[in-house]
């Protein structure tokens, strides 16, 4: 028998190396259970993908995923067994150009889709249609068919409270979670009238914290750093900017109540909230942070293993 401490250090070595052995999927009995909260941030939320890839490269999978808005949409793919690489490839295929996006959503309904995104809303979109348009073919309809437990956070517009879904119809819950007010029609579902989850809980750490050993929060709301000297704001800039300020405040309160073991907030102000067609640039923008994230996570796993009394490896 290999001593527990020695086996634990060997697992940590492979996690840190991020090499082939790590990609064989390293797990530990009785832990660590990793909970991951994926925040909302519209197009900026595409930066969740490199962090998912980083966990894949370490051979780690979360025990629970929670998601708000685009975090719920990407989190659903992850919970269904998609790897970070598969999420990247799928996002590139369905969001790569304005033409592709328009073809999936509206066809000829909106002729100047660029103007639609940049200058304001002229119609309200159907969030359920958006979900159907961008989820992969054959995606499950019910939470029970997912491979990893998922908690989807939306806002009940009538009661002013968050609505959390982890069972039952999946697509409707995601639709409610992504329904940005004014941009999307509210989603009637399960005795709620749902709008975007970011209105009440932009980084749902509370939903990923229970029974986990390591809590990870990926905050894609952005920051004001690159806008401090800007003055020529359009109406749409003001709308989304005000929403960002609100979400930043809510996230600070959530982090005080549920402090994450690992918290990442990439600098994303370069990208507009609706610039989904810049998916390749957005994903590439946080590539440089992957190694730092992997080091943080490896250290947390090492700490857990050092205090674990029963460690094993399943390949």
């Amino acid at each position: 028998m290999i001593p527990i401490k020695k086996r634990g250090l060997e697992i940590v070595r492979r996690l840190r190396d991020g090499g082939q052995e790590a990609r064989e999927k390293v797990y530990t009995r009785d832990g660590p259970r990793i909970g991951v909260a994926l925040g909302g941030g519209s197009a900026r939320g595409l930066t969740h993908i490199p962090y998912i890839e980083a966990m894949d490269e370490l051979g780690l999978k979360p025990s629970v995923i929670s998601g708000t808005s685009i975090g719920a949409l990407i989190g659903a793919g992850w919970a269904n067994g998609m790897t970070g690489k598969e999420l990247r490839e799928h996002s590139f295929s369905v969001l790569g150009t304005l033409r592709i996006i328009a073809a999936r959503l509206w066809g000829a309904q909106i002729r100047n889709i660029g103007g639609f995104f940049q200058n304001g809303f002229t119609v309200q979109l159907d969030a359920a249609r958006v979900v159907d348009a961008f989820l992969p073919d054959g995606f499950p309809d019910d939470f029970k068919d997912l491979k990893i437990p998922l908690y989807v956070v939306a806002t009940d517009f009538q009661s002013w409270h968050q609505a959390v879904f982890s069972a039952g119809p999946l697509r409707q819950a995601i639709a409610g979670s992504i329904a940005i007010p004014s941009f999307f029609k509210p989603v009637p579902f399960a005795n709620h009238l749902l709008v975007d989850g970011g209105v009440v809980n932009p980084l749902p750490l509370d939903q990923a914290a229970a029974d986990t050993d390591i809590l990870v929060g990926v905050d894609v709301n952005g920051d004001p750093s690159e806008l401090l000297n800007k003055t020529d704001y359009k109406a749409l800039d003001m709308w989304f900017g005000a929403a960002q300020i609100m979400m930043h405040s809510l996230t600070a309160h959530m982090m005080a109540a549920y402090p994450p073991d690992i918290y990442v907030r990439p600098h994303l102000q370069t990208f507009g909230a609706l610039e989904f067609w810049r998916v390749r640039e957005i994903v590439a923008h946080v590539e440089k942070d992957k190694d730092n994230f992997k080091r943080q996570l490896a250290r947390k796993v090492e700490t857990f293993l050092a205090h674990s009394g029963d460690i094993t490896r399943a390949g």
Side-chain angles (χ1 to χ4, degrees), residues 32-254:
R33 288 176 52 85
I34 302 173
V36 181
L38 302 178
S42 300
R44 301 180 185 111
L46 294 164
T47 52
H48 287 309
I49 294 172
Y51 296 107
I52 294 172
E53 290 176 330
M55 288 190 64
D56 290 341
E57 290 163 11
L58 290 175
L60 296 170
K61 286 188 178 295
S63 297
V64 60
I65 301 165
S66 64
T68 290
S69 197
I70 193 169
L73 185 61
I74 292 176
W78 195 15
N80 194 45
M82 295 179 73
T83 65
K85 181 180 179 181
E86 289 169 340
L87 287 164
R88 177 192 290 252
E89 292 173 350
H90 178 72
S91 296
F92 287 0
S93 70
V94 299
L95 296 172
T97 67
L98 284 169
R99 184 183 296 274
I100 292 172
I101 296 172
R104 284 186 168 264
L105 288 181
W106 305 286
Q109 182 180 347
I110 297 176
R111 295 184 179 182
N112 182 11
I113 188 173
F116 173 81
F117 277 118
Q118 295 168 10
N119 300 323
F121 312 141
T122 56
V123 296
Q124 283 189 305
L125 303 178
D126 185 333
R129 184 177 177 183
V130 171
V131 170
D132 287 338
F134 290 105
L135 284 178
D137 293 338
F139 201 83
D141 294 320
D142 199 286
F143 278 90
K144 65 180 175 56
D145 296 318
L146 297 175
K147 296 176 175 61
I148 298 172
L150 173 69
Y151 292 84
V152 171
V153 175
T155 300
D156 187 324
F157 186 74
Q158 294 165 309
S159 72
W160 296 9
H161 294 120
Q162 74 174 359
V164 182
F165 302 95
S166 60
L170 174 60
R171 293 169 185 253
Q172 294 93 321
I174 298 172
S177 186
I178 71 167
I180 300 171
S182 297
F183 188 32
F184 290 98
K185 301 173 185 175
V187 177
F189 174 59
N191 297 318
H192 301 282
L193 187 65
L194 301 177
V195 296
D196 192 290
V199 173
V200 290
N201 192 353
L203 185 63
L205 294 164
D206 55 331
Q207 301 304 314
D211 299 321
T212 57
D213 303 298
I214 299 172
L215 179 60
V216 178
V218 185
D219 181 356
V220 294
N221 186 43
D223 59 73
S225 58
E226 296 184 22
L227 294 179
L228 292 177
N229 297 317
K230 182 175 178 178
T231 57
D232 57 333
Y233 292 99
K234 298 178 182 178
L236 194 58
D237 295 330
M238 295 296 295
W239 194 97
F240 276 107
Q244 280 184 281
I245 295 169
M246 175 196 71
M247 291 167 67
H248 175 72
S249 178
L250 290 170
T251 296
H253 287 289
M254 179 60 68

